[in-house]
Amino acid sequence: MASNPGNVLIVGSGHAGVELAASLRQRGFDGPVTIVGDESALPYQRPPLSKEFLKSASDTGLPLKGETFFPAHQITLQLGMRATRIDRQKREVELEDGTRLSYDHLALATGARNRIPPIPGLDHRSILELRTLQDAQRLNDRLASLRHVTVVGGGFIGLEVAGLLRARDIAVDVIEATPVLMGRVLSSPMSAWFRSFHEQLGTGLHFETLVQGVHRSGSATEVRLSNGRHLHTDAVLIAAGIVPNAELAAEAGLAVDNGIVVDDRLVTSDAAISAMGDCAAYPNIHTGGMTRLESVQNAVDQARCIAARLTGEDRPYDGFPWFWSNQGSARLQIAGLSNGHDGTVLRGDPDGGKFSMFLYRGDRLIAVESINSAADHMMARRLLAARISVPKAVAADVAANLKELM
Ligand SMILES: Cc1cc2nc3c(=O)[nH]c(=O)nc-3n(C[C@H](O)[C@H](O)[C@H](O)COP(=O)(O)OP(=O)(O)OC[C@H]3O[C@@H](n4cnc5c(N)ncnc54)[C@H](O)[C@@H]3O)c2cc1C
């Protein structure tokens, strides 16, 4: 280990925070490492909350590491404790109980929270969210009594939950403000495929529609839509995107713009503070612009990059983005970012539910979206990361072996 960062303090006990602590130890760092997290549960994986967790109705979640991992690696965990202020002059973080923790290096991994649209009549009792284990437990507790759910937002999480609810024969209406599903991340043909897929599951889809109000009377809830329809529902699940938790950084005077701004080494505007994961906006060498990603791959790879820097291997962050989402029987896997694509090539059989869309800018492959085609996805990740393009004719030919391009 070439350098010693001293005492490392991590705020946030999610995917990024835990990975940083684990990677520091894996790389031989033997100084003090502390994680402060405001959730009281042992750090857990978020993706299963809208997937396996809801299917099994188990109430423990899936831990990121076993309980003994943290003491065994001399990682101090302070859970159920919010960091409320950063004193950059003294290099201290103040916690909600007034305790002050000092740091030589501070890593912010504060994640994000759900964006709650300002809907008249929407109160804490009538809404369901899905960000934390507690949210998922609340939803699970209510599942048996639900006959109809209104999902606000046609993004990944809203549609994953819609698929699970339909599998339990619970009626679902998804309210989406834009004309398409998952429009921020998917190509138009893939988005259109999901539209028909969810319609076939029996999910009601309302496009270019807003929820104008929620009215509760006794146990009955009525949702008023901008398309003139009124829905009688048992629960309103808000899945309308997230807001990065950047206030702690902003109040400390760090640069914030759609997340905590970091440079290509994930350092904030203060050299003693890094930021990573859902809360961080970073210069993306693959797209050339500032990006803030919301994925496990991004959180984990950024944490590993910071651990490498703090232990003497300083290199720019060049993680290649990939994502997944399970909706009903469709396993969607995405490699790369589709922003700015101007051409698509279909590979496989959309009607049979097994295919990929290869997305191009000019003749250059920039992303691949796959449905139930794990082999295409794995090859696409390798090719894209190695910056090898796939000729369009090869992409279209399911018999062509992509491995031969490596
Ligand atoms: C239901 C659901 C399903 C998902 N499915 C997928 C998927 O299939 N694939 C995928 O790639 N990604 C998925 N994601 C996204 C993925 O979980 C996130 O990108 C990932 O959790 C980001 O990790 P993080 O460490 O940056 O933030 P988080 O995991 O959000 O952790 C941040 C932690 O910091 C805490 N915190 C915030 N402020 C403070 C403070 N001031 N003091 C102390 N603690 C604080 C938060 O409470 C939280 O515990 C899903 C997310 C959700 C919610």
Side-chain angles (χ1 to χ4, degrees):
M1 207 173 55
S3 69
N4 185 343
N7 157 14
V8 178
L9 176 60
I10 301 166
V11 178
S13 58
H15 286 268
V18 169
E19 183 64 30
L20 174 57
S23 294
L24 283 169
R25 289 294 184 241
Q26 209 173 17
R27 299 180 71 91
F29 173 63
D30 59 4
V33 176
T34 302
I35 304 177
V36 174
D38 61 0
E39 293 185 71
S40 43
L42 191 69
Y44 59 90
Q45 302 175 36
R46 281 186 210 285
L49 300 183
S50 52
K51 303 178 184 73
E52 296 85 349
F53 185 81
L54 275 183
K55 274 189 203 155
S56 69
S58 114
D59 63 358
T60 52
L62 279 176
L64 281 165
K65 302 280 179 195
E67 206 161 347
T68 53
F69 175 84
F70 299 96
H73 291 81
Q74 284 88 45
I75 296 166
T76 306
L77 259 188
Q78 289 217 26
L79 298 176
M81 186 61 72
R82 192 165 181 73
T84 49
R85 201 168 76 85
I86 302 169
D87 183 336
R88 288 170 51 196
Q89 258 67 49
K90 292 189 177 156
R91 293 202 176 173
E92 285 178 349
V93 168
E94 191 171 306
L95 308 185
E96 60 186 329
D97 67 352
T99 313
R100 293 173 78 99
L101 300 177
S102 64
Y103 63 84
D104 295 307
H105 196 84
L106 173 65
L108 298 175
T110 47
R113 61 185 179 276
N114 286 328
R115 191 177 76 78
I116 309 292
I119 298 172
L122 196 67
D123 62 22
H124 197 64
R125 279 183 313 154
S126 51
I127 67 169
L128 289 170
E129 295 185 55
L130 199 44
R131 178 77 197 173
T132 64
L133 182 58
Q134 230 180 355
D135 294 335
Q137 284 164 339
R138 205 164 149 241
L139 178 54
N140 262 333
D141 287 347
R142 290 196 52 194
L143 272 183
S145 65
L146 297 176
R147 281 154 303 146
H148 179 276
V149 176
T150 304
V151 175
V152 181
F156 283 144
I157 292 173
L159 293 169
E160 287 179 2
V161 176
L164 290 165
L165 295 173
R166 290 302 302 130
R168 289 170 168 256
D169 217 20
I170 297 169
V172 187
D173 279 280
V174 174
I175 319 304
E176 170 54 43
T178 75
V180 291
L181 295 178
M182 300 173 280
R184 205 164 50 88
V185 277
L186 285 192
S187 67
S188 309
M190 186 57 90
S191 173
W193 186 87
F194 269 104
R195 177 181 183 147
S196 132
F197 177 79
H198 283 285
E199 281 168 350
Q200 281 167 35
L201 292 181
T203 302
L205 299 175
H206 305 255
F207 292 100
E208 296 181 88
T209 303
L210 300 174
V211 175
Q212 288 192 320
V214 175
H215 181 69
R216 276 172 68 90
S217 160
S219 61
T221 303
E222 189 186 73
V223 174
R224 220 173 51 249
L225 304 181
S226 60
N227 63 8
R229 291 197 52 192
H230 290 211
L231 303 174
H232 294 281
T233 199
D234 298 313
V236 180
L237 176 83
I238 302 292
I242 61 174
V243 183
N245 290 324
E247 290 77 3
L248 192 64
E251 283 159 18
L254 299 177
V256 166
D257 182 6
N258 179 33
I260 305 168
V261 174
V262 291
D263 66 12
D264 64 352
R265 284 162 167 78
L266 309 176
V267 181
T268 67
S269 46
D270 178 335
I273 307 179
S274 303
M276 56 188 168
D278 282 15
C279 70
Y282 72 97
N284 185 325
I285 65 160
H286 302 287
T287 62
M290 290 299 283
T291 305
R292 191 180 59 74
L293 293 179
E294 299 159 10
S295 75
V296 169
Q297 167 277 321
N298 179 64
V300 166
D301 285 352
Q302 291 194 339
R304 289 178 183 161
C305 179
I306 293 173
R309 167 162 50 79
L310 294 179
T311 52
E313 192 191 325
D314 198 354
R315 52 181 161 85
Y317 176 68
D318 64 355
F320 195 81
W322 56 270
F323 314 84
W324 77 96
S325 172
N326 299 350
Q327 301 176 26
S329 59
R331 178 164 171 82
L332 166 69
Q333 290 170 295
I334 306 174
L337 298 175
S338 61
N339 316 35
H341 74 274
D342 53 21
T344 57
V345 172
L346 169 66
R347 178 182 175 88
D349 172 22
D351 294 337
K354 186 171 160 56
F355 68 103
S356 297
M357 296 298 315
F358 282 57
L359 311 184
Y360 289 83
R361 190 179 302 143
D363 282 329
R364 191 164 69 86
L365 182 69
I366 58 167
V368 176
E369 302 164 334
S370 302
I371 295 289
N372 300 329
S373 306
D376 279 2
H377 173 72
M378 287 316 294
M379 270 322 293
R381 263 167 60 182
R382 288 178 59 193
L383 290 164
L384 285 162
R387 294 174 181 258
I388 298 171
S389 198
V390 179
K392 290 180 180 174
V394 174
D397 178 4
V398 276
N401 187 351
L402 299 179
K403 266 192 199 152
E404 285 168 10
L405 297 169
M406 283 301 294

